[in-house]
Amino acid sequence: VQLQASGGGLVQAGGSLRLSCAASGRSFRGYAVGWFRQAPGMERHFVAAIDRNHNGIIYADSVKGRFTISRDNARTTMYLQMNSLRPEDTAVYYCAASPSVISSNLASQTAYKTWGQGTLVTVSS
């Protein structure tokens, strides 16, 4: 599977954005998918993940209650709805796909085998 992220941009604090990640290949439904982000000068960190059956969803504490991850297997696309954005959410956001079937593994970058190219989200104060 190959991934293409989109939807980033500039938004004011308190605003919303929806990121999309389109997957190519018929195997999309066999993968768990996740979002990570990397702020300038920082390491990449986990944001959210959803398993292949839509049953296991996990979030980083910093985004719980504000971000929602979802997937549409028919469209081979995953989404990240981001509400109540804060300046500290500014980062390049990456989507990724994992063959893991264990939801608790999905917060670790090592579980992911395929990565998208990233889309920049900038939140102004």
Side-chain angles (χ1 to χ4, degrees), residues 8-80:
L10 174 64
V11 63
Q12 288 188 331
S16 298
L17 278 177
R18 188 176 82 154
L19 305 183
S20 299
C21 180
S24 61
R26 292 172 289 180
S27 58
F28 177 75
R29 63 178 64 247
Y31 287 85
V33 290
W35 289 95
F36 289 76
R37 66 186 181 185
Q38 186 170 18
M42 305 291 285
E43 295 182 349
R44 189 161 56 187
H45 291 285
F46 169 74
V47 175
I50 182 170
D51 72 10
R52 58 186 178 180
N53 296 320
H54 303 235
N55 293 328
I57 297 176
I58 55 174
Y59 294 98
D61 287 344
S62 59
V63 306
K64 280 181 181 176
R66 300 188 298 123
F67 290 12
T68 302
I69 188 172
S70 62
R71 63 187 294 166
D72 184 335
N73 285 345
R75 290 184 167 87
T76 64
T77 303
M78 59 187 283
Y79 305 97
L80 185 69

